[in-house]
Amino acid sequence: MGKGTDKLYITHSEWASEDAYSASAGSGVAKSKVAGSSFKRLPFNFCAVSLQPFAHPVCTADGTIFDLTNILPWLKKHGTNPVTGLPMKSSELIKLNFAKNDEGEMVDPVTFKVFTDNTHIVALRNTGNVFAWDTVERLNVKAKMWKDLLSDEEFGRKDIITLQDPQHLEGRDLSSFKYLQDGASTLTEEQERERNDPGRNVNKEALGSSAKILKAKEAVAKAREQRAKDPNQNPAASGSKAIQVATNGAQRQSTSGHSGRAIPYNAAQHTTGKAAASFTSTGLTPHTSGERALLTDEEYMLRPKRVKIKGYARFQTNLGDLNVELQTEYAPKAVWNFVQLSKKGYYKDVAFHRNIRNFMLQGGDPTGTGKGGTSIWGKNFNDEFDGPLTHDSRGMLSMANKGKNTNSSQFFITYRPAKHLDRKHTIFGRVVGGLETLSRLENAPTDSSDRPVDEIRIIDVVVFVDPFEEFQRQKRDKDEEEKERLEVMRQGGREDERTTWTGKRVRGDGTVVNDAGGGGVGKYLKAAAANEGGHAVSAEPGDVMGQWGNEVSKEPITKKAKVGGFGNFDSW
């Protein structure tokens, strides 16, 4: 059974040999003897250096495609073509222009045929435009029209560079790439350091208290690297200092992570959702803490009753001026929208398109039709009915809408109380000046469609007091005062606030002020001492204090010390 022997068994080496000629004679027969069996194809949209999809494609004269961000560091370091190993310069690279469709797929710019791994793709050397070979062959070669189909620049047959030929894929064979055969690294020095750094591949936030160990190791490694650069540095002191700094930093991080941290002023009531998302999805980085989401300054200020400062603005019309007061406390979104649009100049030269006597005046539509206008956010915003404001008087300023939560840029001013509009239109201001102008506006003649006969225009809307800017200014001042107060307290307080534990004031030079007539218990002790010294105590006849001062004080009885026991150990 063996090779040239009378054994009834074969050994392992015989079974695994390559010269066994049986269908089941071992692993050697499974080894392919066909040339090119190790062929591995590189996709046409991949860089030949990084082996990843390219973003900035360039090619060589032989049709090898690289990503510009990957080939430039290679040329700077090696100066050769990584595929062939021949010398190459950056000036030899040709920028490629791939056309894409709406789905982001690379297509032929003429026929819009999507490129695949089976498409014959070519590029023109002088323009860099990429086409399918079928298009160039049919419209250029056979038609003998040697002009670029996109830029109309002339080219020759030698300017056609083949990027991918499905019939000849030798240039896309990974096993023939020179740098892969040699095992050369295509990473930059920074990428090498990042790959070799074990700490960069660990999510320290998910490690809890174990993160301080990694931080200490990183600090020690950093200190050793600095020691290697500076031989005169004290290694023991440097290492201990680095470990101490890393430990302190890790302790601060651990303390801040487990103790109650100061909540930011703009913290929302809801969390970021990262903990729940990472718990239900393995594609997200794990988060173990329910951090509260942070609101932007705009979202923070547009909460009802957050900003209580009233704003003031003036409508300048061709019939006079109207001064309005803006109710920021109860309608912050409407006031923000109106103020920002006014400061933007949105209402300049806009006509009032609707005027109904004894009812209201409507405007704010730049088109003048009553059907246009957008808010400062570019979309409709919700109604605000939480406050006590009602249409109970003349001159109320409200938002016009087309239904529930459809506020945009249009507004109206009432000529009389209109209680039927309550909780249907958001009230965000009222007229506080220019009632004569309001009467002139009401008496302006209109046509049958309630449109003013003589056009009434808003020349401009001037914002005198922006309540949100004022709120931010006050908050900044308050934060500065608090920061200054904390700094003063950290340094020991102000000069006039420094006192000892007994309440005595400390001067700037460090001396303690002894007030003769100070308050507290000491004044009674001083009065008693003055009595004993023979000073007269002023008291009215029959006063208890006068009788007590004339008595002779008796000497207190001293108690005899008990004898016995161990004593006070003075003789030891």
Side-chain angles (χ1 to χ4, degrees):
M1 186 170 181
K3 295 180 179 180
T5 64
D6 57 352
K7 295 184 299 181
L8 299 180
Y9 63 90
I10 61 175
T11 63
H12 173 74
S13 60
E14 293 172 343
W15 171 264
S17 65
E18 295 184 5
D19 57 350
Y21 299 99
S22 173
S24 60
S27 59
V29 298
K31 185 174 293 186
S32 176
K33 301 291 191 300
V34 181
S37 60
S38 60
F39 175 80
K40 294 181 180 179
R41 181 174 182 175
L42 179 69
F44 77 94
N45 60 337
F46 275 50
C47 172
V49 175
S50 64
L51 306 182
Q52 298 293 327
F54 52 69
H56 309 283
V58 294
C59 75
T60 60
D62 58 357
T64 306
I65 304 177
F66 302 102
D67 193 305
L68 187 62
T69 57
N70 296 320
I71 189 61
L72 288 181
W74 174 275
L75 292 178
K76 184 178 180 181
K77 183 177 181 181
H78 302 280
T80 60
N81 188 327
V83 175
T84 61
L86 300 176
M88 186 175 69
K89 299 180 181 179
S90 59
S91 58
E92 300 176 11
L93 298 175
I94 303 169
K95 181 182 177 183
L96 299 178
N97 302 317
F98 280 90
K100 295 185 179 180
N101 57 14
D102 295 338
E103 287 75 21
E105 299 172 323
M106 298 180 185
V107 297
D108 181 273
V110 178
T111 62
F112 295 100
K113 179 181 177 181
V114 178
F115 290 157
T116 65
D117 289 336
N118 298 319
T119 306
H120 191 169
I121 306 173
V122 297
L124 301 183
R125 186 193 306 269
N126 55 342
T127 62
N129 295 329
V130 181
F131 302 92
W133 166 247
D134 296 340
T135 303
V136 176
E137 183 183 25
R138 185 171 65 253
L139 300 180
N140 292 114
V141 179
K142 290 184 178 180
K144 296 183 179 180
M145 196 274 294
W146 300 98
K147 289 187 178 181
D148 192 307
L149 298 175
L150 295 181
S151 62
D152 206 30
E153 295 184 23
E154 295 185 357
F155 67 94
R157 185 181 290 271
K158 62 180 181 180
D159 294 328
I160 301 177
I161 301 174
T162 301
L163 302 181
Q164 175 180 263
D165 186 356
Q167 304 301 327
H168 303 86
L169 294 174
E170 295 81 4
R172 313 295 296 176
D173 185 9
L174 290 173
S175 61
S176 64
F177 286 7
K178 177 67 174 175
Y179 77 97
L180 291 179
Q181 295 175 353
D182 298 341
S185 175
T186 60
L187 301 178
T188 61
E189 295 181 0
E190 183 179 356
Q191 291 173 336
E192 288 285 356
R193 287 196 301 269
E194 184 176 350
R195 171 174 289 187
N196 297 330
D197 186 4
R200 290 184 176 270
N201 300 324
V202 179
N203 184 11
K204 299 175 184 177
E205 296 181 358
L207 294 179
S209 59
S210 302
K212 62 183 180 181
I213 301 176
L214 292 179
K215 284 187 171 291
K217 287 185 176 180
E218 291 177 2
V220 171
K222 188 175 181 180
R224 288 175 178 172
E225 184 179 355
Q226 293 178 353
R227 257 200 327 271
K229 294 179 180 179
D230 187 5
N232 298 325
Q233 190 176 2
N234 186 3
S238 175
S240 62
K241 184 177 180 181
I243 295 175
Q244 182 180 3
V245 170
T247 306
N248 294 339
Q251 289 178 352
R252 285 197 299 271
Q253 182 180 3
S254 176
T255 303
S256 62
H258 293 83
S259 63
R261 291 181 291 182
I263 300 177
Y265 75 94
N266 57 343
Q269 296 299 324
H270 57 275
T271 64
T272 57
K274 293 182 178 180
S278 63
F279 178 74
T280 56
S281 175
T282 58
L284 298 177
T285 303
H287 287 268
T288 58
S289 61
E291 300 175 357
R292 294 173 64 175
L294 298 181
L295 303 175
T296 61
D297 289 340
E298 178 180 335
E299 294 172 338
Y300 174 74
M301 292 188 297
L302 295 189
R303 292 298 178 91
K305 300 183 180 180
R306 178 65 55 76
V307 180
K308 299 184 179 181
I309 304 171
K310 294 182 179 180
Y312 294 91
R314 171 179 292 172
F315 286 94
Q316 296 178 350
T317 70
N318 55 347
L319 296 183
D321 296 342
L322 288 176
N323 296 331
V324 293
E325 181 183 70
L326 306 177
Q327 304 293 336
T328 317
E329 183 176 1
Y330 303 113
K333 291 182 181 178
V335 173
W336 173 274
N337 178 67
F338 177 78
V339 169
Q340 298 304 320
L341 290 178
S342 301
K343 295 170 68 175
K344 185 180 171 183
Y346 188 84
Y347 295 123
K348 277 188 178 182
D349 203 32
V350 174
F352 287 101
H353 60 272
R354 193 179 180 198
N355 187 14
I356 303 176
R357 184 175 298 178
N358 202 30
F359 181 33
M360 62 87 187
L361 172 69
Q362 184 174 343
D365 178 13
T367 64
T369 61
K371 300 179 181 179
T374 58
S375 69
I376 191 65
W377 300 284
K379 60 181 180 179
N380 296 337
F381 61 94
N382 296 343
D383 298 321
E384 296 170 294
F385 299 143
D386 294 336
L389 303 176
T390 58
H391 298 85
D392 56 354
S393 62
R394 176 182 173 88
M396 300 304 296
L397 178 61
S398 302
M399 293 299 300
N401 57 40
K402 296 176 289 186
K404 183 179 179 181
N405 298 330
T406 57
N407 301 293
S408 57
S409 65
Q410 295 190 38
F411 56 86
F412 64 89
I413 303 173
T414 61
Y415 290 140
R416 67 173 180 85
K419 300 292 290 183
H420 64 282
L421 299 180
D422 291 347
R423 304 194 65 80
K424 294 181 181 178
H425 296 270
T426 301
I427 303 172
F428 66 97
R430 64 188 181 93
V431 177
V432 293
L435 296 179
E436 302 84 0
T437 302
L438 190 61
S439 299
R440 286 195 295 270
L441 294 172
E442 182 179 8
N443 296 325
T446 59
D447 56 16
S448 58
S449 60
D450 298 324
R451 190 177 187 87
V453 176
D454 298 327
E455 200 172 50
I456 304 174
R457 287 194 167 273
I458 301 175
I459 300 174
D460 196 6
V461 178
V462 181
V463 179
F464 292 128
V465 178
D466 186 342
F468 302 100
E469 287 186 356
E470 186 68 18
F471 175 81
Q472 290 179 328
R473 186 189 62 79
Q474 291 181 5
K475 187 179 182 308
R476 284 196 300 269
D477 295 343
K478 185 177 179 181
D479 292 343
E480 289 294 333
E481 292 178 1
E482 181 67 16
K483 184 178 180 180
E484 182 180 354
R485 186 186 67 82
L486 293 176
E487 181 65 22
V488 170
M489 294 299 295
R490 189 182 66 82
Q491 295 179 358
R494 294 187 176 89
E495 296 295 337
D496 55 347
E497 293 178 352
R498 296 181 183 178
T499 58
T500 63
W501 65 274
T502 57
K504 295 182 179 180
R505 188 167 60 88
V506 181
R507 292 193 180 95
D509 56 357
T511 59
V512 180
V513 178
N514 294 318
D515 296 331
V521 181
K523 63 180 182 180
Y524 300 107
L525 300 178
K526 292 176 183 178
N531 255 347
E532 294 176 359
H535 298 286
V537 179
S538 60
E540 298 294 333
D543 195 351
V544 178
M545 186 169 60
Q547 297 176 4
W548 175 80
N550 294 330
E551 292 181 358
V552 179
S553 59
K554 296 181 180 180
E555 194 173 320
I557 301 174
T558 57
K559 294 183 179 180
K560 295 182 179 179
K562 294 183 180 180
V563 180
F566 292 101
N568 58 3
F569 301 100
D570 288 342
S571 60
W572 284 42

